[in-house]
Amino acid sequence: MMLPIVKKNLGQGLLELIIALGIAAFIIVALVQTMVTGAKNTRFAKNQTLATRFAQEGVEKIRNLRDTLGWALFFNTYNGITTCVGEGTPDTWTVILPCPANIDNFFTRKVVFNDSGDPGNTVAVNVTVTWIDNDGTHKSEQNTELTRW
């Protein structure tokens, strides 16, 4: 009678299972990390786009204010000041610094007016929109020079 041959690889299946589970866990972690990073980048891109739009809107509001008030009143009222510009009309602009979040309670739009180049005839306008998220403070800036026309 022949005795059956016993193979010496009884634990090999368990070892292969542990290695396969380790590889699967590594792949799942990598996929989840990729998805989280993608969502974070999408949120940042959305906020950057909105901040740029709000900064451009601020420049247009100021340009419209200059056209509405006339150069002399605009220059004498706003030259050399820093103000917060929310979503309202110039009547609701505040001079509170540091600026509170004044757009959607998330973005802050600050405007700095400075006499530039040709005193009395030009005003440099810097509009900065900032927001804070888990990665820190971010900003979008728009600069323009308004002149006596």
Side-chain angles (χ1 to χ4, degrees):
M1 173 158 112
M2 262 183 119
L3 293 172
I5 299 175
V6 178
K7 295 186 178 181
K8 304 245 179 188
N9 59 1
L10 294 175
Q12 186 174 359
L14 182 59
L15 182 61
E16 289 172 350
L17 178 64
I18 291 172
I19 291 173
L21 286 174
I23 292 171
F26 180 76
I27 291 172
I28 289 171
V29 167
L31 288 173
V32 168
Q33 185 177 11
T34 300
M35 288 174 27
V36 167
T37 302
K40 185 171 120 182
N41 289 341
T42 299
R43 186 172 45 255
F44 175 80
K46 175 187 168 204
N47 288 336
Q48 183 71 42
T49 301
L50 285 171
T52 300
R53 188 183 90 201
F54 292 142
Q56 290 170 342
E57 180 184 84
V59 169
E60 290 305 316
K61 282 184 175 191
I62 293 160
R63 186 173 284 123
N64 186 42
L65 183 65
R66 178 208 53 191
D67 295 345
T68 303
L69 295 177
W71 178 257
L73 184 56
F74 172 80
F75 185 82
N76 292 330
T77 304
Y78 293 102
N79 185 41
I81 71 164
T82 298
T83 185
C84 303
V85 180
E87 297 177 279
T89 63
D91 299 339
T92 63
W93 290 3
T94 59
V95 187
I96 302 167
L97 293 175
C99 294
N102 52 24
I103 302 173
D104 296 337
N105 293 321
F106 185 68
F107 295 97
T108 300
R109 180 167 43 201
K110 181 174 79 171
V111 181
V112 178
F113 299 88
N114 286 312
D115 198 2
S116 69
D118 187 8
N121 293 314
T122 61
V123 173
V125 178
N126 172 271
V127 180
T128 304
V129 176
T130 58
W131 75 97
I132 300 172
D133 62 15
N134 292 338
D135 292 329
T137 302
H138 309 283
K139 69 179 179 176
S140 179
E141 285 186 307
Q142 296 288 316
N143 296 296
T144 192
E145 231 177 64
L146 299 178
T147 61
R148 180 189 304 240
W149 66 132

